[in-house]
Amino acid sequence: MIIWLNGAFGAGKTSVSKELVALVPQSRVFDSEYVGYMLRHVLDSVPVTDFQDWPPWRALVVQTAAQVLDYVGGVLVVPQSVLVERYWAELRTGFEQAGIPVRHFVLHAERNTLARRIEADDVEAGARTWRLAHLDAYAAARPWHAREAEVIDTTETTPAHVARLIAGRVA
């Protein structure tokens, strides 16, 4: 199974994923951004604004997840924003074709909370401008997120609480 944690930067995906793997037996974090980092070295001559724009990213995320699950089993927790509905549809279809069940959660927080969290993030300080610029894309994605996922508001709660909520829903 895959537990996909979607949402804007600053919603708590990384923090919740760390808490969640402590609660869900045989789970591990699969950070699909590393697939994008790998592709940057190979596809640097194909300009995109986001590595998710490369079709191989979407296909390789599905294939990598399938290979990992075939090898070790268990549950993959994927903390990854997907803000383009067509990209999510490709991922979802790929997982379905691979026979991998997916629980899709969108961690939501109000825009001012997201901006405050992004500004306070010292770990990824170099990405602040890029992340803040994607708040409009997140707002535009909210309607399809509501159709495609279980939305959990993280504005006034802790990552540990959100992780317990998700663990209870997937148990």
Side-chain angles (χ1 to χ4, degrees), residues 31-88:
D31 189 342
S32 60
E33 284 200 21
Y34 286 101
V35 175
Y37 300 151
M38 175 195 68
L39 287 173
R40 281 190 181 142
H41 298 286
V42 179
L43 298 176
D44 63 347
S45 64
V46 182
V48 294
T49 56
D50 186 317
F51 56 69
Q52 291 183 16
D53 296 335
W54 288 316
W57 178 82
R58 300 181 300 276
L60 285 170
V61 166
V62 171
Q63 292 172 11
T64 304
Q67 290 290 321
V68 169
L69 288 171
D70 283 347
Y71 185 62
V72 296
V75 176
L76 294 181
V77 177
V78 184
Q80 180 70 58
S81 297
V82 177
L83 304 179
V84 177
E85 185 174 11
R86 181 172 57 88
Y87 296 174
W88 176 253

Side-chain angles (χ1 to χ4, degrees), residues 93-151:
T93 300
F95 292 132
E96 287 171 1
Q97 291 173 344
I100 303 169
V102 176
R103 292 296 298 271
H104 184 196
F105 295 91
V106 170
L107 306 186
H108 169 75
E110 295 303 321
R111 186 181 186 105
N112 61 341
T113 299
L114 294 170
R116 184 175 34 81
R117 290 177 183 171
I118 292 167
E119 290 288 349
D121 186 353
D122 291 331
V123 176
E124 298 275 353
R128 281 187 188 133
T129 302
W130 194 86
R131 289 176 172 190
L132 289 167
H134 281 76
L135 292 179
D136 289 338
Y138 170 68
R142 289 197 60 210
W144 74 261
H145 279 168
R147 289 190 312 272
E148 291 282 334
E150 299 174 59
V151 179

